Amino acid sequence: MKPGAAEIHNFLETIIILSCLCGIGLSELSGSNLKSYQTEETPRRVKRSWVWNQFFVLEEYTGDDPLYVGKLHSDVDKGGGNIKYVLSGEGATSIFIIDENTGDIHATKRLDREEQAYYTLRAQAVDRLTNRPVEPESEFVVKIQDINDNEPTFLDGPYTAGVPEMSPVGTSVVQVTATDADDPTYGNSARVVYSILQGQPYFSVEPKTGIIRTALPSMDREAKDQYLLVIQAKDMVGQMGGLSGTTSVTVTLTDVNDNPPRFARKSYQYNVPESLPVVSVVAKLKAADADVGPNAAMEYRIIDGDGLGMFKVSTDKETQEGVITLQKELNFETKASYTLRIQATNKNIDPQFLSLGPFSDTTNLKVIVEDVDEPPVFTSPVNRMVVSEAAKVGTIIGTVAAHDPDASNSLIRYSIDRNTDLERFFNIDATTGVISTAKQLDREMNAVHNITLLAMESQDPTQVGRGIAVISVLDINDNAPMFAIEYETFLCENAQPGQVIQTISAVDKDEPPSGHRFYFALTPEAASNLNFTLRDNKDNTASILTKRNGFRRQDQSIYKLPIFIMDSGSPSLSSTNSLTIRVCDCDPDGTAQTCNAEAYVLPAGLSTGALIAILACVLTLLVLVLLIVTMRRRKKEPLIFDEERDIRENIVRYDDEGGGEEDTEAFDMAALRNLNVIRDTKTRRDVTPEIQFFTRPSYKSIPHNVIFREFIWDRLKEADIDPSAPPYDSLQTYAFEGSGSVAESLSSLESLSTDSDQNYDYLSDWGPRFKKLADMYGNSEDSVFS
């Protein structure tokens, strides 16, 4: 197989480069034919014996032996071994070594141009014996010759880009760029060309610039909105043997307004009840648009129909729907259906796509109004009426009317919502709607009555309409004037005749349209008094003046002055009010100090505080005397009852049922339940004990009548000598049931209903107070139940 023209060209180029390198070194050495430099004793211009330019070394050398770089030689060196060559600078001894005898330079390591493109070295020829330079030091560069060992790379990949749909062929999409680390100034190692591996036939790429362009016309986003491209970059100008790299480019078709809106149907129908509130949504329509975002934005409007004033259409910004809302109340009886023509238009229209058709569409909307049973409606929602507070019960105030808005036109019955007329001041005729008074009205208590009226369909009582009646009560003069406040009038003892001691005014619950006008005067019986007079100020006030001086509290401390007040109503009303005037001791400024006449009876020099202290001491002494008398009376009473006093006469009634047999918290029940328990006798501290030791006898063999008597007396004596017992005036109770069963019942019902042989004749021995019990429980023939 013969090599191609490209392979032969590359081979020949490499041979020429190597031969040039060797030729440069030899020519430079052969040109250095000057003699050794002059000594310092004969100073004159000396031409250098050698001049170094550059050495070239091929990168990425992979041989086993060190790579020969070049040779250094001085004309001074005659071959006798007296000259030594020294190398210094970048990489000397570590990368580059020199044979000090021959001047041959070798590279000991593999060199990479991409790491370092050249090295700067210095050469020196010195006398081997004296180590003195025989030639001036010279600097030269070892340049690393590039080979194609780096593939192109896309540093910014992968790429994303967008291009409008329907773009013409050749529209620029994005530019991709690949970089090659090889030397761009030598050969074709860094010369890159681009090609598209995936994405045809939709897109193409320019080989030299890497610009990606559209390759097909009318690419539709609605059909396919995204494409994945694979772009290759290859060095060596794309020739065989070159290195390559790839990247991906994601191209998204952006939307343009190339699709007009279209309604799915030519007509729509919606049913709504006539009771639908205003501003409620009647229907929602949407025209389909394949575009997105602003290109799908809609505007809806009503362009025709008989419901232009009844309905309104607006656009929902989120869903792009046309929302039809109600603007006025519907009435089935007036109009049962409406027809609307709705148009949907794109807001943002691109002129270049107008050829695709009109970017709007229309549809018909029919709204069917459904009949709803509506409650009655008052002719006037608010009815204002007036009535005088002097109106008699049954006076007609006014009439209200309501009608059934439905076609059935049912009869109406009227009533009053009593929650708004709790005191039932008014009545309404259920058939005619006539409102009349049911009670006497009082404007001063309630000037305006706001009541709710109800209108109900006779056929369907659940249908109730509501109206309002505002009834204003007109005022009449039915309240007499009186003092504005409760006056407290003080008169100084040193008052002079004609002195004003009080200014009075009046109030009236009535409210005449022209305002109040009050007239003041003293009553006829008081007009001739010698102490005071009254002056009407003609401004609804009056002044009280003194007629004389020399008022004294000792003579009279309080004066009652009757004042006559009359209003200007028609008919006018009047009242008599009493003004209390107190005579007081005043300071020179006329300020009252003391107004009590009793103060003059007391000795001079005693203040009010001293009098209170004296009264407190007297009360304290009285309390002490009462306590002493009470204690003495208590000591005189005996602590132990006499034998003649029968304790059975003390009957105390308790309405407390207690806690039953389990209630043992308050008293020690053991002694009452067990007769044989003997308590320790203790000495009572408030009396001198007569019996120091008391032993309770046994009751087992004693008859029942004796047991009761002895039990009570034993308990009484024990309490008398017990120092821990309650005081002598406290009540002692004993719940002793005898020596039989503790729970045995003594019920009168049970005793009479059984054939008990119990003998209760001993009750007759207890005295006349127990005669009734003896008759009930005894065997006497004259029983109350016989």
Side-chain angles (χ1 to χ4, degrees):
M1 179 178 179
K2 282 188 173 185
E7 284 82 353
I8 295 174
H9 176 75
N10 292 336
F11 179 75
L12 292 176
E13 189 177 26
T14 303
I15 294 175
I16 292 171
I17 291 172
L18 293 176
S19 61
C20 289
L21 291 175
C22 297
I24 291 172
L26 293 175
S27 64
E28 289 179 347
L29 289 175
S30 62
S32 303
N33 52 6
L34 296 179
K35 296 182 179 179
S36 61
Y37 71 62
Q38 305 296 321
T39 61
E40 297 177 358
E41 296 177 358
T42 58
R44 62 188 180 93
R45 185 177 182 272
V46 178
K47 187 177 180 180
R48 293 177 58 183
S49 299
W50 54 4
V51 179
W52 311 106
N53 290 325
Q54 287 184 348
F55 287 127
F56 292 89
V57 179
L58 197 64
E59 70 168 330
E60 304 292 348
Y61 173 73
T62 57
D64 296 333
D65 298 329
L67 178 64
Y68 178 77
V69 177
K71 183 178 181 65
L72 299 179
H73 185 73
S74 176
D75 292 343
V76 180
D77 185 4
K78 303 301 182 180
N82 296 328
I83 301 302
K84 180 175 68 173
Y85 296 96
V86 179
L87 188 66
S88 62
E90 289 182 313
T93 69
S94 60
I95 298 176
F96 301 100
I97 59 174
I98 189 172
D99 189 330
E100 64 180 11
N101 295 320
T102 63
D104 294 331
I105 301 173
H106 291 81
T108 61
K109 292 184 178 180
R110 181 178 177 180
L111 300 178
D112 188 354
R113 190 200 68 84
E114 285 70 41
E115 292 183 3
Q116 187 166 344
Y118 62 89
Y119 296 85
T120 303
L121 299 172
R122 292 182 299 276
Q124 181 79 60
V126 299
D127 187 279
R128 187 179 295 276
L129 297 177
T130 63
N131 208 29
R132 294 181 64 183
V134 296
E135 292 281 355
E137 186 180 57
S138 182
E139 185 177 84
F140 66 96
V141 174
V142 177
K143 188 174 182 181
I144 311 303
Q145 187 66 40
D146 182 48
I147 66 171
N148 189 19
D149 60 342
N150 292 277
E151 70 276 2
T153 57
F154 292 90
L155 300 180
D156 298 330
Y159 296 85
T160 58
V163 63
E165 63 174 331
M166 310 300 290
S167 295
V169 175
T171 302
S172 176
V173 179
V174 68
Q175 184 178 16
V176 296
T177 302
T179 59
D180 196 317
D182 294 325
D183 189 359
T185 63
Y186 177 76
N188 296 324
S189 298
R191 295 180 63 183
V192 177
V193 294
Y194 301 92
S195 61
I196 183 168
L197 302 182
Q198 178 181 323
Q200 295 174 330
Y202 305 101
F203 299 92
S204 63
V205 61
E206 292 183 356
K208 293 183 179 181
T209 61
I211 297 176
I212 300 174
R213 300 181 183 276
T214 59
L216 285 180
S218 304
M219 285 192 293
D220 191 0
R221 183 198 66 84
E222 287 72 35
K224 184 176 182 181
D225 63 346
Q226 198 171 80
Y227 298 85
L228 180 62
L229 282 63
V230 177
I231 304 299
Q232 175 184 267
K234 190 174 183 180
D235 60 13
M236 298 299 293
V237 201
Q239 298 177 4
M240 186 177 294
L243 303 178
S244 64
T246 60
T247 188
S248 64
V249 181
T250 302
V251 180
T252 301
L253 296 183
T254 58
D255 186 54
V256 297
N257 192 9
D258 59 338
N259 293 279
R262 291 291 180 265
F263 283 105
R265 296 162 56 184
K266 289 301 179 181
S267 63
Y268 297 86
Q269 179 175 313
Y270 289 90
N271 294 357
V272 294
E274 64 173 332
S275 60
L276 187 70
V278 176
V279 194
S280 298
V281 176
V282 175
K284 290 185 178 181
L285 304 177
K286 185 175 183 181
D289 192 328
D291 298 321
V292 294
N295 296 318
M298 300 282 185
E299 283 184 343
Y300 296 88
R301 63 192 184 98
I302 301 174
I303 61 175
D304 196 7
D306 56 1
L308 294 177
M310 292 293 297
F311 303 94
K312 176 185 176 182
V313 63
S314 59
T315 304
D316 189 325
K317 303 300 182 182
E318 299 295 330
T319 63
Q320 296 300 318
E321 291 178 309
V323 181
I324 293 89
T325 55
L326 182 65
Q327 297 299 298
K328 296 180 181 180
E329 291 184 354
L330 298 172
N331 192 333
F332 173 80
E333 288 74 25
T334 303
K335 191 172 179 60
S337 66
Y338 295 88
T339 301
L340 304 173
R341 188 165 182 80
I342 310 296
Q343 182 185 60
T345 306
N346 276 145
K347 292 180 63 177
N348 306 305
I349 300 176
D350 193 338
Q352 64 177 327
F353 299 110
L354 288 177
S355 60
L356 299 178
F359 282 80
S360 64
D361 195 15
T362 59
T363 188
N364 293 323
L365 174 65
K366 188 172 184 179
V367 180
I368 304 299
V369 181
E370 296 178 344
D371 187 23
V372 175
D373 191 6
E374 300 173 273
V377 178
F378 279 91
T379 304
S380 176
V382 179
N383 299 271
R384 299 187 181 276
M385 306 175 184
V386 293
V387 61
S388 173
E389 65 176 325
K392 296 181 180 180
V393 175
T395 299
I396 295 176
I397 303 173
T399 304
V400 295
H403 67 280
D404 184 4
D406 299 318
S408 59
N409 196 17
S410 176
L411 293 177
I412 306 299
R413 295 187 62 83
Y414 302 95
S415 63
I416 295 177
D417 184 354
R418 291 305 177 183
N419 291 324
T420 60
D421 185 25
L422 295 175
E423 298 185 19
R424 296 178 177 268
F425 283 109
F426 306 98
N427 286 331
I428 186 170
D429 188 281
T431 305
T432 63
V434 174
I435 300 176
S436 60
T437 58
K439 282 186 178 180
Q440 188 67 41
L441 301 176
D442 188 354
R443 189 204 63 85
E444 286 70 39
M445 293 183 61
N446 194 348
V448 177
H449 295 266
N450 194 334
I451 62 176
T452 299
L453 306 176
L454 305 178
M456 181 188 307
E457 290 185 12
S458 300
Q459 298 177 359
D460 186 3
T462 61
Q463 297 297 326
V464 179
R466 285 174 168 78
I468 296 175
V470 180
I471 303 174
S472 300
V473 182
L474 299 179
D475 185 37
I476 63 170
N477 191 25
D478 59 344
N479 290 278
M482 61 183 62
F483 278 157
I485 60 173
E486 188 72 26
Y487 291 101
E488 188 175 7
T489 305
F490 299 101
L491 172 65
C492 294
E493 290 180 316
N494 56 0
Q496 298 300 318
Q499 180 177 338
V500 176
I501 61 174
Q502 183 70 62
T503 299
I504 61 175
S505 61
V507 293
D508 194 328
K509 294 181 180 179
D510 297 320
E511 291 183 359
S514 59
H516 289 290
R517 175 68 178 92
F518 300 117
Y519 303 94
F520 300 88
L522 295 179
T523 59
E525 60 272 14
S528 60
N529 79 92
L530 302 177
N531 300 313
F532 307 99
T533 185
L534 181 144
R535 181 181 66 204
D536 193 336
N537 297 324
K538 308 300 182 181
D539 59 354
N540 290 343
T541 65
S543 299
I544 309 300
L545 299 86
T546 58
K547 279 187 175 182
R548 64 178 180 88
N549 58 4
F551 292 96
R552 292 174 53 81
R553 286 175 292 164
Q554 293 88 341
D555 298 338
Q556 185 173 351
S557 61
I558 296 177
Y559 292 89
K560 299 289 186 179
L561 186 63
I563 298 176
F564 176 80
I565 306 175
M566 184 176 64
D567 61 21
S568 58
S570 179
S572 61
L573 297 179
S574 62
S575 66
T576 301
N577 299 263
S578 179
L579 179 67
T580 301
I581 303 174
R582 297 181 180 275
V583 182
C584 303
D585 180 26
C586 302
D587 59 13
D589 296 330
T591 304
Q593 299 293 323
T594 304
C595 299
N596 296 326
E598 291 79 3
Y600 284 89
V601 182
L602 299 176
L606 289 179
S607 63
T608 304
L611 293 176
I612 294 174
I614 293 173
L615 291 175
C617 293
V618 172
L619 291 175
T620 303
L621 292 175
L622 291 176
V623 171
L624 291 175
V625 171
L626 291 175
L627 288 175
I628 292 172
V629 173
T630 303
M631 294 298 294
R632 287 183 177 179
R633 288 182 178 179
R634 290 181 62 183
K635 288 183 179 180
K636 290 180 180 180
E637 293 180 0
L639 295 177
I640 302 176
F641 295 116
D642 297 333
E643 291 291 334
E644 288 105 17
R645 297 181 64 186
D646 193 350
I647 189 140
R648 291 171 296 177
E649 295 178 4
N650 299 329
I651 300 176
V652 180
R653 177 178 178 180
Y654 295 92
D655 292 331
D656 184 9
E657 296 181 357
E661 295 182 358
E662 299 299 326
D663 186 7
T664 60
E665 296 295 328
F667 303 96
D668 184 8
M669 305 296 292
L672 300 180
R673 293 175 178 173
N674 190 353
L675 300 178
N676 297 324
V677 175
I678 301 176
R679 298 183 180 179
D680 295 335
T681 58
K682 298 179 182 179
T683 305
R684 190 178 179 98
R685 291 191 296 269
D686 55 350
V687 295
T688 302
E690 298 179 359
I691 303 175
Q692 297 294 336
F693 300 97
F694 179 76
T695 303
R696 185 180 302 165
S698 176
Y699 303 108
K700 290 185 177 180
S701 60
I702 304 176
H704 282 165
N705 56 346
V706 181
I707 288 176
F708 275 96
R709 186 176 300 170
E710 293 298 331
F711 172 78
I712 292 175
W713 285 112
D714 290 344
R715 289 293 181 271
L716 180 60
K717 293 177 181 179
E718 183 176 331
D720 289 338
I721 64 175
D722 187 0
S724 63
Y728 59 86
D729 58 349
S730 63
L731 179 66
Q732 299 291 328
T733 59
Y734 305 103
F736 178 66
E737 293 182 356
S739 60
S741 173
V742 176
E744 184 177 351
S745 175
L746 293 178
S747 172
S748 61
L749 297 177
E750 184 181 356
S751 301
L752 294 174
S753 61
T754 60
D755 297 333
S756 174
D757 57 355
Q758 181 78 20
N759 185 7
Y760 295 97
D761 292 337
Y762 65 90
L763 293 175
S764 301
D765 300 332
W766 284 18
R769 297 182 182 275
F770 291 88
K771 183 177 183 303
K772 179 65 67 177
L773 292 175
D775 294 339
M776 292 173 62
Y777 293 96
N779 294 325
S780 175
E781 294 180 357
D782 54 346
S783 175
V784 293
F785 296 101
S786 59

